[in-house]
Structure formats: C-alpha cells, structure tokens
Amino acid sequence: MKGKTILVLTAVFVLLILISSSASAATLCVKEGGGAGKYGSLQEAINAAVEGDVILVREGSYSENVLVNKSLDIIARNPCPDKTVITALDPELPVLHVTSNSVNISGFTLKGADSAYGIYLDRVSESNISNNYFSGNWRSIMLKSSHKNSLENNCLSSSDNGIWLESSGQNLLKNNKADSNRHYGFYLNASENNTFQNNCAFKDAIGIYMENSSGCHVIGSETSNNFYGIYLTGSGESLLENNTANSNEMYGIYLGNSNGSTLEGNIANSNIWGIYLDSSSNVLKNNTMFCNNRNFGAYTYHYTGEMNNTIDTSNTVDGKSIYYLLGVSNKTLDSDSNVGVVYCINCKNITLKDLVLKNNSFGVYLYNTQNSLLEGNNISNNEHGVYLGNCSVVTLRGNDANLNEGDAFILSNCRNCLVKENNASNNMAGIWLCDISRDNILKENTVTSSSWCCIDLGDASCNNTLEGNTLSGAYEGIYLYGVSEKNTLNNNNITASSYGLFTEGCGNNTISRNKISDNDVGISLNLNWTDGTTSNYNIIYNNYLNNSKNAEDYGTNTWNISKTEGENIIGGPYLGGNFWASPEGNGFSETALDEDGALIADLPYNVTETNYDYLPLVFEKPVEKTENKDGKKCEKSR
C-alpha cells in the first residue's frame, strides 16, 4: 500500500509539472464515448492538437492504435494506470507509435499488441514515458534509434519482453519493474551509455541483457528469480554498482567479452553462479557473493588473452576473501589467510597450503605461473578443483579434490609439473592434461569414483609419466586421445572401470608393469572416432591383466619386448610379455604350458587375429607332494 501511495503521488506530481509547464498550451480532453467538448478517441484528439498541447484522457477502456506525430503531453486524468486502458485494435501494430520528439505519456495501461509494441519510440528524443502498466505485448516499450529519453516508474508484465532498446543511447531507465515476461525484462542491443537506476526484473528469462552496448550504468537494480540476472556480452566499460542478483537459475551477474567494466558493491546470492567474468581488465570492489552453487568464476572462454582483472580482497565468497594475484612473487597463503578462492596470473613462487576452497567455478586457478606449490588443500564442490594454464614447475602434492562437478585437476599447456599423492573422488574426471602438456609427472595419486575418467591425456599431451597411481570406479581409468604420444604409463593399479586403459588414435606410448583388473575391458587401443586414426606403435608389456575382456587392439602394436632378465610383475625372472588372467581363474597365463620353467609360456597369446603377445608370462606352478613305494615323500610339478 505504501508503494502504491508513493506511485500515485509521483504521478500527480508529474501531472502538475506537465500542466504548469504547458500553461500557454491548449488542453484537449478525451472521454470514452466522446460527448460535448470531448474527443471519443485519443487519435482524434492528437489529430486536432498542435505542438505543445496537453491531452487529458479520462477513465475508461479504449481500443485503438495511435500514431503520435506531434510533441504532446498525453496524460491519464486518473493517475492509477488500471483506470485508463488502451488495447491495441490491431495486435500487429503498436498501441502508441511515437514519431515526434518531446512526447510525454503517463498513467495508462497499454496492452494487447501481442505482435508489436505497447509504446514504440521511433527515432525520437527528449520524451518521457512514466507511470504506465503494460501487459500482453510482444515488447512493452520499444526504442529504436532513440536517444536521451526517460522511462520511469513503468510496470512491464506478462509479455514476451519488457523494455527493448535497439541502437538507442543516453536514455534513463529508472524505477521500472519487469515481471513475468517470457524472454527479457530489459534488453539492449547496440545501445551505448544508457543508465539503469533502481529497476527490478523478476521471473523473466533474462532480467537485464546488454549486447554490444558499452558504457552503460546499472545502479541499484534488483534481478531475482530469472534464468539469468544481469548478462553483458560485448558491452565493455560499463558500471554495475550496488545491484542485487539473487535466486536466478544460472548467473547472477555475467560479463562476456565486456572488458574494462567496473563492478562495485553488488550482492549475488542463491544463484547457480554468483558473479562470472569471461572478460578482462575489469575492476571488482566490495562485491558480496554467498549461498551460490558457484560464488565466483573468471575464465576467458570467449575473450582471448590474459585475465588481468583488478580484484581486491574486499570481494568475498561465503564470507572469505577472493585472492586475485597479478604478477605477484614469493607469497604464501595458508589456513590463517581467510581465503575463499585463489587466482594467480603471471606469478612466481606462490605457496598455497592447507586451504579449504569450495563453491566456486575454480577452487584454485593459476595462469602463466611458475615455481609454485599447492599442498594439503581441501578443494570441493566447485565446478573444477584446480586449473593450471600455461604453467611450469608447479607441484600439486597431498591435496584432496572431491565432489567437484567437472575435473579435480586440469593441466592445460603445462610443462614440468609434478602431481603427486593427491586424492580425488566423486568428480567427473580426476586429472586432465590437455592442449600441449608435456614432461609432467603424475605419481602416486588416488583417483576414485569418477563419472568419466580418472586420468585423461588429451590433445597433444606428450612425454608425460604416469606412475604408481591407484585408479578405480570410472568409465575409463586412463584415457588417451588426440596425438598424445610418447607417454610412459608404469606401475599403475586400475580397477572397477568400464575400460582400464582406452586410447583413441594415440601411438608410441609405453605401457608397462600396470595391474589392470576387475574392469569390463582391460586395455582398448582404439580408433579416433573423428578421423579414423588408429592407435599404432604402442608397446605394452609386463602388465597384469585380469578383466572380463583383457584387450582390444584395432591398430598395429607390440605386446611384448625381447626376453630380458629382470623381475616381472608376477615375480618371475624375465621380462617379456604380459600376464593374461581371467576372473574365473582359467586365463591363458593361468593354464599355459611352460616346459623349460622360465615362467614364459611355450606358445604366444593371440591378443587379436593379427596381434600377438609372443612372450606371455605365467605363474610358477605349485609343487604337488606324493609318496613312493617305500612311503617316502617326493615332489612333482602340477
């Protein structure tokens, strides 16, 4: 009731100003049905008016499409918009089509233009649209090539779109409410330097959307219960200040390729993403994010370049500070630092230790950072746990990364990094090496219950070493794709997955001394499904295989090395091929003959019709004890 009273008083105040400023102008009255000295339609009054006249419209319901081609004040006599209703006679034409500058329209309900606009400002300026209610239109208020207009205290409801600006700049949108529109509450395209102040957008698909509309100010506005709250794309050098974005299904505030913008004093809560930057050179101060699934994120999906944003620790996620470090060296952040999320861009010698990082797009994000250590951190419930991009000589040791929606650890275009003794469980993937990630060591990590794969080497990830890792409960224990070559996979334990090791068009890798058991398929050397490239020239030897199906080979690969002295994976004296077991205990290596006792089978194992293991390993046969005729015990092999 208080809000309604203020609205009515505001409308009355506007009406008095307009009437007093037009004292020398004529006043024309419109009344439903006409009558003595009154016009029966708004269009009749406009046709009779001259520039600068005032048209007062009495209460009633009018059905017409009106062309406003003169500078006029068109005012509803009763300031309550629901008392004076204009419905589009033709729903494919605007209710009010304004083609003249300096037009003021106030106090109406405008509806029914379901294929057009409630009010259409067509190449006009210095006009004011205030205290109106819109419903059932395609676009409630449309501005095309219209500048320096004011839209205030309008309610835009139950239409396709609320306010739509096309190539229109320097307009003021203030105290408008967009509610329950099917698409946009407020939409700007190629419309620069507009100001939004104290607007609300509720239950729309997108609350405020700005495309290629730089230099706009969005101040003190609220977007809630939309799909997106405030969404900027290609709209740099904008200001978002003291806005609230809450309970939106996706982003509270999103900046895509909107560089050089400032976000200050905004609150984003209870969204999927709070504030997300896909942009660079932005400044963030005193923004508060809490109770979002992902409070904060910054990543250049669309903007190519470094993320040199200026974000200080006054920005918080669930009460903890964002540390966004640019060009910093020799810094340690530990459990006493009140850290909520860490970004390091172009840094050196950074130590992150014993931190608890959760509910963000990334727990830790390092880009172009060297000689750094991440140790003993707990990183959970993020979109991704740890991201390293273009980094070298970084050690990840003893971290727990659990329940992240995507990957626990991502290394993109990284070199000479050590990933050791980390635990990752219930992520989509455990450790992902992508782009050109080379000469890295992944050692003694435990990765379990990944919905996709435990360790993934993709794109051109070459010369990496995977050693002593324990991997279980995934679709693929280890997955190689792209041109990931010359990697060494040694002494890993892979269990309980659909595929223990799956390669897709990858060659020249060495796979040895791995225990691959209790999987549907142990090793699958497969085709690249996009270009048909085969997985060739891999060397697979000295592995223990005990799976429902031990191997698939669709290329030309080598399944043994030359017979060489050295203890093999089952304790035998020679290296050669692999041990081929089965869950039923009747696998080839469990039943093969070994007449010379070298613990190498006498016959090769047929991996596929064209690929053989020529030196399959066998167990030493247990000795069976018997008695001779004299009752003395003797031994013979079974």
Side-chain angles (χ1 to χ4, degrees):
M1 179 60 74
K2 180 180 178 181
K4 186 174 181 180
T5 301
I6 293 173
L7 185 62
V8 171
L9 292 174
T10 301
V12 171
F13 180 67
V14 170
L15 176 60
L16 291 174
I17 291 176
L18 292 174
I19 293 173
S20 63
S21 64
S22 306
S24 60
T27 299
L28 291 75
C29 293
V30 178
K31 179 183 177 184
E32 185 180 9
K38 298 177 178 62
Y39 296 92
S41 72
L42 178 56
Q43 188 66 69
E44 290 178 11
I46 291 172
N47 293 342
V50 298
E51 298 279 343
D53 281 351
V54 176
I55 298 178
L56 291 180
V57 182
R58 293 194 171 184
E59 296 179 17
S61 296
Y62 303 85
S63 180
E64 54 183 313
N65 300 97
V66 179
L67 174 64
V68 184
N69 55 1
K70 301 170 185 176
S71 297
L72 301 168
D73 296 338
I74 303 172
I75 311 298
R77 190 174 188 90
N78 188 324
C80 294
D82 60 347
K83 300 298 183 181
T84 311
V85 180
I86 306 177
T87 303
L89 180 63
D90 183 345
E92 295 186 357
L93 295 176
V95 180
L96 297 179
H97 185 179
V98 180
T99 60
S100 182
N101 297 330
S102 303
V103 171
N104 301 300
I105 301 171
S106 181
F108 297 94
T109 289
L110 303 159
K111 65 180 185 176
D114 55 18
S115 298
Y117 319 120
I119 292 179
Y120 179 22
L121 300 187
D122 186 0
R123 295 174 173 82
V124 304
S125 62
E126 306 293 344
S127 294
N128 179 278
I129 311 299
S130 63
N131 190 38
N132 300 288
Y133 177 79
F134 298 82
S135 69
N137 305 292
W138 179 39
R139 298 173 185 170
S140 290
I141 302 178
M142 172 70 184
L143 275 66
K144 182 176 182 181
S145 301
S146 295
H147 310 286
K148 298 182 180 179
N149 301 286
S150 175
L151 313 177
E152 298 187 49
N153 297 306
N154 299 287
C155 183
L156 319 126
S157 177
S158 302
S159 299
D160 272 27
N161 305 283
I163 295 177
W164 188 291
L165 274 63
E166 194 81 41
S167 302
S168 298
Q170 297 178 278
N171 299 286
L172 172 65
L173 286 72
K174 184 177 181 181
N175 294 327
N176 300 287
K177 180 181 178 181
D179 185 13
S180 302
N181 297 287
R182 284 179 288 278
H183 297 128
Y184 300 95
F186 301 89
Y187 176 95
L188 277 69
N189 180 45
S191 298
E192 299 184 344
N193 302 311
N194 293 284
T195 297
F196 287 75
Q197 188 173 351
N198 299 330
N199 298 288
C200 299
F202 304 138
K203 300 178 184 178
D204 305 303
I206 301 178
I208 299 173
Y209 182 89
M210 295 162 52
E211 181 177 9
N212 300 323
S213 300
S214 299
C216 293
H217 292 185
V218 183
I219 302 169
S221 296
E222 182 178 355
T223 55
S224 65
N225 293 292
N226 307 287
F227 190 69
Y228 294 141
I230 301 174
Y231 192 107
L232 276 62
T233 177
S235 300
E237 300 178 359
S238 295
L239 170 66
L240 277 62
E241 184 176 16
N242 296 331
N243 301 289
T244 298
N246 68 297
S247 301
N248 297 287
E249 291 185 35
M250 291 293 287
Y251 299 102
I253 299 174
Y254 173 89
L255 270 65
N257 198 20
S258 297
N259 307 320
S261 296
T262 297
L263 281 68
E264 184 169 0
N266 300 288
I267 297 173
N269 67 284
S270 304
N271 309 283
I272 297 297
W273 278 275
I275 296 177
Y276 198 97
L277 306 179
D278 183 3
S279 305
S280 192
S281 303
N282 301 288
V283 176
L284 273 67
K285 296 180 180 179
N286 296 308
N287 298 287
T288 301
M289 292 149 269
F290 61 94
C291 294
N292 303 286
N293 287 18
R294 311 283 178 256
N295 284 303
F296 175 77
Y299 184 69
T300 53
Y301 283 104
H302 304 105
Y303 171 75
T304 303
E306 296 181 359
M307 301 185 301
N308 56 337
N309 300 292
T310 301
I311 303 173
D312 63 26
T313 55
S314 67
N315 299 282
T316 61
V317 291
D318 289 333
K320 294 184 175 182
S321 293
I322 297 175
Y323 278 79
Y324 199 97
L325 309 179
L326 296 176
V328 174
S329 298
N330 306 314
K331 186 173 183 65
T332 296
L333 297 174
D334 57 21
S335 57
D336 295 328
S337 304
N338 193 39
V339 178
V341 59
V342 182
Y343 281 69
C344 300
I345 315 295
N346 302 326
C347 296
K348 295 180 180 178
N349 301 316
I350 302 296
T351 298
L352 308 177
K353 188 173 183 180
D354 301 328
L355 303 174
V356 177
L357 306 168
K358 60 183 181 178
N359 298 333
N360 292 288
S361 282
F362 300 93
V364 176
Y365 186 103
L366 273 61
Y367 180 80
N368 197 31
T369 292
Q370 290 79 41
N371 300 302
S372 296
L373 170 66
L374 280 69
E375 184 174 25
N377 302 291
N378 188 310
I379 305 161
S380 63
N381 290 293
N382 303 285
E383 184 180 7
H384 301 289
V386 175
Y387 177 91
L388 273 59
N390 196 34
C391 294
S392 62
V393 198
V394 174
T395 297
L396 309 178
R397 183 171 58 223
N399 302 286
D400 290 332
N402 307 313
L403 297 169
N404 297 287
E405 182 182 356
D407 303 276
F409 304 96
I410 302 174
L411 281 70
S412 171
N413 197 30
C414 291
R415 302 159 304 284
N416 298 304
C417 293
L418 173 63
V419 183
K420 183 178 181 181
E421 298 174 354
N422 300 283
N423 295 306
S425 66
N426 294 292
N427 308 283
M428 183 181 74
I431 305 170
W432 181 24
L433 274 61
C434 58
D435 298 314
I436 305 174
S437 288
R438 303 190 173 200
D439 304 308
N440 303 288
I441 297 174
L442 282 59
K443 186 175 183 179
E444 298 172 8
N445 301 285
T446 300
V447 183
T448 61
S449 300
S450 302
S451 57
W452 178 23
C453 62
C454 294
I455 297 180
D456 175 3
L457 273 61
D459 303 320
S461 296
C462 303
N463 298 309
N464 300 289
T465 299
L466 281 63
E467 182 177 356
N469 300 287
T470 300
L471 314 171
S472 67
Y475 183 69
E476 295 143 341
I478 298 176
Y479 174 42
L480 276 64
Y481 70 92
V483 287
S484 296
E485 300 185 340
K486 299 181 181 179
N487 298 289
T488 300
L489 284 60
N490 178 56
N491 199 33
N492 301 287
N493 189 346
I494 310 173
T495 60
S497 298
S498 295
Y499 292 90
L501 166 65
F502 189 98
T503 70
E504 187 178 323
C506 298
N508 297 298
N509 298 289
T510 300
I511 302 160
S512 67
R513 205 173 180 83
N514 301 286
K515 184 177 180 181
I516 304 175
S517 61
D518 298 320
N519 305 286
D520 294 337
V521 178
I523 297 175
S524 181
L525 306 178
N526 226 300
L527 303 176
N528 184 316
W529 300 114
T530 58
D531 60 13
T533 304
T534 54
S535 295
N536 291 328
Y537 313 120
N538 297 287
I539 299 174
I540 310 102
Y541 74 98
N542 196 31
N543 300 285
Y544 177 89
L545 302 167
N546 186 352
N547 307 278
S548 299
K549 183 178 182 180
N550 280 321
E552 298 174 339
D553 189 349
Y554 298 93
T556 301
N557 297 283
T558 301
W559 289 86
N560 58 269
I561 60 171
S562 300
K563 185 178 177 181
T564 305
E565 288 188 2
E567 183 178 354
N568 63 42
I569 193 168
I570 57 169
Y574 296 103
L575 302 176
N578 304 278
F579 188 86
W580 302 90
S582 75
E584 295 79 20
N586 58 359
F588 180 87
S589 293
E590 295 166 304
T591 58
L593 295 176
D594 172 26
E595 293 294 340
D596 61 5
L599 303 185
I600 300 289
D602 295 338
L603 297 175
Y605 174 67
N606 206 9
V607 180
T608 67
E609 291 182 0
T610 57
N611 291 284
Y612 293 86
D613 180 349
Y614 290 99
L615 298 170
L617 307 178
V618 298
F619 277 133
E620 183 175 5
K621 298 296 187 291
V623 175
E624 181 181 354
K625 293 183 179 181
T626 61
E627 291 185 359
N628 59 20
K629 294 180 180 179
D630 301 327
K632 294 181 178 180
K633 293 182 178 180
C634 61
E635 298 180 351
K636 67 177 181 179
S637 297
R638 289 183 178 175

